[in-house]
Amino acid sequence: MLAKSMLTKSMLAKSAFLRACRCLPTEQVPVWFMRQAGRSLPEYRELRGEGSMLETIACPEVATEITLQPVRRYGVDAAILYSDIMVPVHAIGFGVDIVPGVGPVVAQPFRTAKDLQRLRPLEPTEDTSYVLQTVTNLVAELAKLHVPLIAFAGAPFTVASYLVEGGPSRTHARTKSLMCSNPQLFCALLDRLGDLAIASISSQLTAGASAFQLFDSWVGTLTVDQYRRFVLPTSKRVFAELKQQHLDAPGIHFGVGTGELLSLLAAAGADVVGVDWRVQLNDARQRLGNNVAVQGNLDPALLLAEWPVVAKQATDVLARNKGQPGHIFNLGHGVLPETDPAILEQLVGLVHGYRYAP
Ligand code: CP3
């Protein structure tokens, strides 16, 4: 216990990413990319082959290598575990697959109170021992590079949206109609998924990850009132319990299209709020106040442009933060598969080379 907390302290002193999570000043702006590991990398496609992504995740040697690929290639300031938000529900046997080019698909979607029985608690050391082995491997490798590992889980609402819809959805119509017509059942569902997120992230942190991100990617589809009533209580519980168990590990909370919800994402208990590209960083800062760090927020679509365009837009993101401590450069959402890795490499160089006027 002592050794791990000492390790965290020395990591915190050295890591620009962990310092920025705590709103401490850093010499360079730290940077990592959501979906940095994945289909935009030829070395990923080569390792991954065909087959289900869930099988790849269940193979610690391969998952370790895939997580390390972008760290080596790009020189980013943090690694994110190669896994998926659907892994815990898959591991307890809900019946999920991840279909290439589609995303998570659920054979028997969540419909009635009976389906709650299909969501038993997660026993991480038994159900997802492969994830913990991958984390253990990674922590040993990343320590040599002084790069921290980010643990993660899907937030209850976003995982619920896949379980209820049965797959990706643009409207989240079934999810919203269940939420409004049977709030009690919806809240019971979110509660179970909250327990899964806590158990999963907690086990990754115990295995040595240094920070965590709770992905509520699709929560931006809700109104402020809906968020407050249906989502905030469970997300608050996730952050509070993780804080209690892992005092040292900063928590990041991210969703797409959350301009109206930003201050509520912080109110859930996040140390860092991920901002998508729709809200400019100076406006996000105003909505969030000074006690929370921000992560973001270059539009991933712009990475398909020529380098001078990318450089201009990235510089604009940096300038809008005005040098305030507590900025982690990232994209507004994940790297698109068509992205040229060379552009991401250049982008890391630009961010690391950027200096604010004194
Ligand atoms: O670099 C990283 O961020 C690596 C780890 C990671 C993956 N998924 C790998 C992945 C993380 C953090 C996720 C989280 C995740 N998964 C989210 C939250 C982040 C976000 O994008 O909003 C969501 C919504 C999912 C569900 C999911 N999984 C989708 C929508 C897809 C895309 C389908 C596709 O093929 O584009 C997946 C599949 C997935 N997850 C891939 C990767 C590398 C690609 C699949 C493959 O290699 O076959």
Side-chain angles (χ1 to χ4, degrees):
M1 240 9 219
L2 182 67
K4 200 162 271 175
S5 117
M6 279 163 62
L7 184 76
T8 310
K9 285 211 175 82
S10 76
M11 186 80 106
L12 181 63
K14 288 203 179 91
S15 159
F17 165 76
L18 291 175
R19 288 181 63 84
C21 287
R22 297 285 183 216
C23 291
L24 295 169
T26 58
E27 203 178 298
Q28 303 181 339
V29 177
V31 49
W32 70 279
F33 304 116
M34 290 185 280
R35 292 285 173 87
Q36 63 193 16
R39 291 192 305 168
S40 61
L41 286 180
E43 59 267 37
Y44 169 77
R45 287 195 292 264
E46 196 176 312
L47 246 186
R48 163 93 170 74
E50 302 295 308
S52 166
M53 186 189 167
L54 291 167
E55 286 165 20
T56 312
I57 291 169
C59 200
E61 296 72 32
V62 181
T64 301
E65 176 58 22
I66 291 173
T67 305
L68 292 171
Q69 285 175 342
V71 178
R72 291 197 201 102
R73 191 193 261 254
Y74 300 133
V76 282
D77 297 272
I80 183 148
L81 178 70
Y82 178 76
S83 182
D84 197 84
I85 59 167
M86 302 309 282
V87 164
V89 277
H90 163 69
I92 61 165
F94 197 87
V96 181
D97 199 6
I98 299 177
V99 178
V102 177
V105 174
V106 175
Q108 287 176 279
F110 185 97
R111 290 281 179 267
T112 69
K114 250 185 105 185
D115 292 315
L116 285 173
Q117 292 164 13
R118 298 163 60 204
L119 289 166
R120 66 162 172 86
L122 180 77
E123 302 288 347
T125 47
E126 273 139 53
D127 300 323
T128 48
S129 57
Y130 48 89
V131 171
L132 303 183
Q133 186 58 53
T134 305
V135 173
T136 305
N137 296 351
L138 281 167
V139 170
E141 286 303 311
L142 291 165
K144 300 175 198 160
L145 308 168
H146 302 294
V147 172
L149 177 67
I150 305 172
F152 77 88
F157 177 81
T158 291
V159 177
S161 79
Y162 285 109
L163 300 190
V164 174
E165 303 291 336
S169 160
R170 246 180 343 108
T171 58
H172 302 106
R174 278 181 177 274
T175 311
K176 288 181 193 176
S177 70
L178 177 69
M179 183 176 82
C180 294
S181 53
N182 194 344
Q184 216 184 344
L185 177 59
F186 191 75
C187 289
L189 169 59
L190 258 55
D191 218 43
R192 298 261 171 132
L193 296 177
D195 291 340
L196 291 187
I198 293 165
S200 175
I201 291 176
S202 184
S203 67
Q204 297 170 52
L205 292 172
T206 301
S210 303
F212 67 91
Q213 177 152 331
L214 188 67
F215 283 96
D216 215 348
S217 302
W218 313 134
V219 81
T221 191
L222 298 183
T223 69
V224 168
D225 277 355
Q226 288 168 340
Y227 183 89
R228 262 189 220 284
R229 179 170 169 208
F230 298 109
V231 178
L232 185 59
T234 319
S235 294
K236 246 186 179 160
R237 186 167 69 82
V238 173
F239 278 101
E241 290 203 19
L242 290 170
K243 185 113 304 178
Q244 204 180 16
Q245 293 171 28
H246 303 275
L247 206 58
D248 284 344
I252 310 169
H253 204 9
F254 168 80
V256 181
T258 52
E260 296 296 323
L261 302 176
L262 281 181
S263 61
L264 290 171
L265 293 185
D271 302 288
V272 184
V273 173
V275 182
D276 86 354
W277 64 92
R278 293 173 182 84
V279 180
Q280 297 178 130
L281 224 47
N282 49 317
D283 295 325
R285 283 285 198 195
Q286 258 179 357
R287 291 174 203 186
L288 286 164
N290 286 330
N291 297 326
V292 62
V294 292
Q295 177 172 279
N297 72 344
L298 183 64
D299 186 345
L302 294 173
L303 297 183
L304 271 51
E306 297 289 316
W307 171 248
V309 176
V310 178
K312 184 161 177 281
Q313 300 291 333
T315 305
D316 183 64
V317 169
L318 288 159
R320 283 179 190 278
N321 183 55
K322 304 188 176 97
Q324 201 175 316
H327 176 213
I328 298 150
F329 191 98
N330 204 315
L331 306 178
H333 199 187
V335 174
L336 297 171
E338 315 82 303
T339 309
D340 177 359
I343 289 274
L344 287 171
E345 229 173 292
Q346 275 181 289
L347 182 53
V348 171
L350 182 146
V351 174
H352 283 163
Y354 188 86
R355 292 293 179 274
Y356 292 95

